[in-house]
Amino acid sequence: MCFGRCFYVKNIRKNNIDGNNHFLQRRQVSKKIRRTTFEALPNELIFMLFDYLYFHEIIYAFNKFSSRIQFLLHSYNSYHLNFNHLLTKRQFNVIQSLPLNCQHVKSLILSNNYFSFTNVQECLLQYRIELFYPRLQSLSLVDCDNYQLLSIILLTSNFQQLKYLSIISENYTSLFSDIIEPIRNQILFEIKTLKHFKWNSKKLFFTGIHKTMLNRRSSIEHYEFSWIYTYAIEWLYSHSLNMKSIHIHVTKFDTPFNKEINLKTVIRLKIDKFDSEQKSPLFLEKLSVFSQLKFLELKCDRFYRYDAAILIDGYTWENFIRNNLPQLETFKFFFATYVFHINLKEFIKTFMTDFWLIEKKWYVTWHWDSITNFLYVYTVPYSNDQFIYDGKLVHQESTAKVNDMLNVRCLILRNISKLTISNDRFPNIQTLEIDSISTDVDYNQLNLILKLSSIQTIIINNEIDSELFFDILKKHQRKISIDIAYIDLMNMLRKRGFVAVQFKQVEQLKIAHFRLLESEKKDIISLCNVFPNMKRLIMNYSDSWQVIPILLWNLKKLSFLSMSTSDEMPLFQEMHESTILELLIEQSGGKLKKNNFYYEMSKYTFRLIID
């Protein structure tokens, strides 16, 4: 976003000039006033605007704007450098156009982003890690390989002000177990300034902890882990000077806590998913060791045990909190379970006592399917970023006046018909996933429960009415991504006979189960015409490699192409790298040149990035 564009002149009048000159005159005067208006802002306010942007966004918007702004770009000392964005080689070169004093960088994100032209190695060649030692406060490492991760982490004790460290690895096999122990010891005990640590990896962080010296203590106060066991929490607490909060994505309180332990310094606990198969009374007993909690958030997407009813009973929670968590100020939960042989109205009454409604002001909502006996129970406002809107869950009760859904970013529509649309509202949806929706539901009805104009991604899991699909795209003005099966997309387009319509706002298309027949090549060209501004195309479970030249010829703005299949690639099998390069350049119709693209290939995947 360029803030300079926010200042404009509504109308400039001048007599005795023709229409074209009038337009040019208005544009020049308007641009001059916009520039003058922005430059009239004090330095402090401009720096506040910079605080909301990443470094590359600031450079795109303001580099060479004026000599004064250029001076401010060099003097601003709180840059956020994010290489996890989708950067092309050209954009990366634009970033380098402003010589960056790395001591002015406050936070740094390094990433081997699948979609990006840049990677960790390129970034560190341009900006050496030692240049960030004096002032960097936040460091995030995303999908680094083993060598990169270990080498960077072993240098972290040199950072003088590092307070936040995040390590994210989505691939289970990407991290070797033998590097986790040195990484863990370095993070916990060698970075003296560190206060926040996040480990989001499928690899367990606490391996071989019995080897660690017992007299060592970590300065970290706030922890976040993808997975953790009871023994690891005890170990972590005994090795922390002042552990204040812990956020766990998945936990399994597999054994009871030591009876003598009291995690009294922990004031904030958040569990995104806990083990639903253990006995509920034992789970409450384990929670009692966090005796000084002020914030508690619990989520479980499905209970399987017969005694799970205890956790949806307001009296049980009231007694437990009064006796074990007297300091608790905020309590959020989301529980989903099957309920059999219970009186739901009696359970609702348990959350309507003075404790819930007056003393704590904690409000609860129930969604219940009386046919399958499936029940959602959650506190208001709804705390998850994803909500499954199931038309079969027709019974809803709440102790809140308004069922606040402001936090929901991803909405999944399931079993939706014209008769089951309720009064719930989802104003901040970014991803809309459609599992099953009736042909009776049109655009206007759907727009009553969510703001369709704010959607950034649409995921279609089953074929939907073509009219609804076309209306969503036609009335949508923002950039959007679509995830759909190839046959469903083509069926909808064929029903309209590939009408002369273009959805210019669609920049990413993710297609599953792509199969190209000889008779469909014209349809592929028509598909390219329907989405003329497509930049990223992802084709999963595809065996039609012969479509690549068609796409390169017809998608003029294509910058990323990914294809994966369960079979080995027949097109490039046993080809030499130079032959593949020549073939791609030859079949691209001039789109590809030697220095403006690169590709990666394995037996089952092909990835092409175009600058």
Side-chain angles (χ1 to χ4, degrees), residues 318 321-322 328-333 350-365 378-382 398-402 404:
E318 180 177 343
I321 291 169
R322 287 192 186 278
L328 195 63
E329 297 172 357
T330 302
F331 182 33
K332 300 180 180 181
F333 63 75
T350 67
F351 289 96
M352 299 180 70
T353 64
D354 289 349
F355 171 83
W356 289 92
L357 301 181
I358 299 175
E359 181 181 341
K360 296 295 187 180
K361 294 183 173 60
W362 296 336
Y363 305 109
V364 180
T365 294
Y378 55 87
T379 48
V380 178
Y382 183 79
S398 181
T399 60
K401 292 182 180 179
V402 178
D404 189 339

Side-chain angles (χ1 to χ4, degrees), residues 472-486:
I472 292 175
L473 294 185
K474 283 191 299 185
K475 298 178 182 180
H476 198 287
Q477 301 301 317
R478 300 177 59 180
K479 297 176 182 178
I480 194 169
S481 169
I482 300 175
D483 186 342
I484 191 171
Y486 173 71

Side-chain angles (χ1 to χ4, degrees), residues 276-455:
S276 61
E277 297 184 4
Q278 63 182 302
K279 293 184 177 180
S280 299
L282 293 179
F283 177 76
L284 293 178
E285 180 182 331
K286 292 165 185 175
L287 279 182
S288 64
V289 301
F290 300 92
S291 59
Q292 300 301 309
L293 283 182
K294 293 185 178 180
F295 177 96
L296 175 61
E297 183 171 336
L298 301 172
K299 299 174 186 176
C300 186
D301 55 8
R302 186 159 301 185
F303 293 113
Y304 294 99
R305 291 194 59 83
Y306 65 91
D307 57 4
I310 292 176
L311 296 183
I312 60 171
D313 179 81
Y315 295 150
T316 298
W317 279 112
E318 180 177 343
N319 293 331
F320 175 77
I321 291 169
R322 287 192 186 278
N323 295 328
N324 300 280
L325 308 177
Q327 307 298 323
L328 195 63
E329 297 172 357
T330 302
F331 182 33
K332 300 180 180 181
F333 63 75
F334 173 86
F335 301 141
T337 184
Y338 288 101
V339 290
F340 299 98
H341 310 298
I342 68 168
N343 188 326
L344 187 59
K345 291 184 178 180
E346 293 299 321
F347 269 90
I348 293 173
K349 287 181 182 179
T350 67
F351 289 96
M352 299 180 70
T353 64
D354 289 349
F355 171 83
W356 289 92
L357 301 181
I358 299 175
E359 181 181 341
K360 296 295 187 180
K361 294 183 173 60
W362 296 336
Y363 305 109
V364 180
T365 294
W366 297 260
H367 289 278
W368 180 45
D369 179 5
S370 58
I371 299 175
T372 63
N373 291 307
F374 197 74
L375 175 70
Y376 293 109
V377 185
Y378 55 87
T379 48
V380 178
Y382 183 79
S383 57
N384 286 3
D385 61 358
Q386 176 179 290
F387 184 81
I388 301 176
Y389 192 94
D390 195 330
K392 290 184 177 180
L393 299 175
V394 294
H395 300 288
Q396 177 176 314
E397 298 284 347
S398 181
T399 60
K401 292 182 180 179
V402 178
N403 199 30
D404 189 339
M405 292 292 186
L406 293 176
N407 293 323
V408 180
R409 296 294 182 270
C410 175
L411 180 64
I412 301 174
L413 298 180
R414 185 176 296 163
N415 304 313
I416 302 300
S417 68
K418 185 176 182 179
L419 300 177
T420 59
I421 293 180
S422 73
N423 294 324
D424 283 336
R425 296 293 182 269
F426 304 88
N428 296 324
I429 300 300
Q430 296 177 357
T431 300
L432 176 64
E433 183 173 342
I434 300 178
D435 274 356
S436 51
I437 187 169
S438 170
T439 55
D440 294 330
V441 179
D442 59 24
Y443 178 91
N444 293 329
Q445 292 170 339
L446 194 57
N447 204 42
L448 289 176
I449 63 171
L450 71 150
K451 188 178 179 182
L452 286 168
S453 60
S454 67
I455 294 174

Side-chain angles (χ1 to χ4, degrees), residues 252-263:
K252 191 168 186 177
F253 289 163
D254 50 322
T255 59
F257 283 100
N258 190 318
K259 292 183 178 180
E260 298 178 358
I261 194 170
N262 185 349
L263 308 182

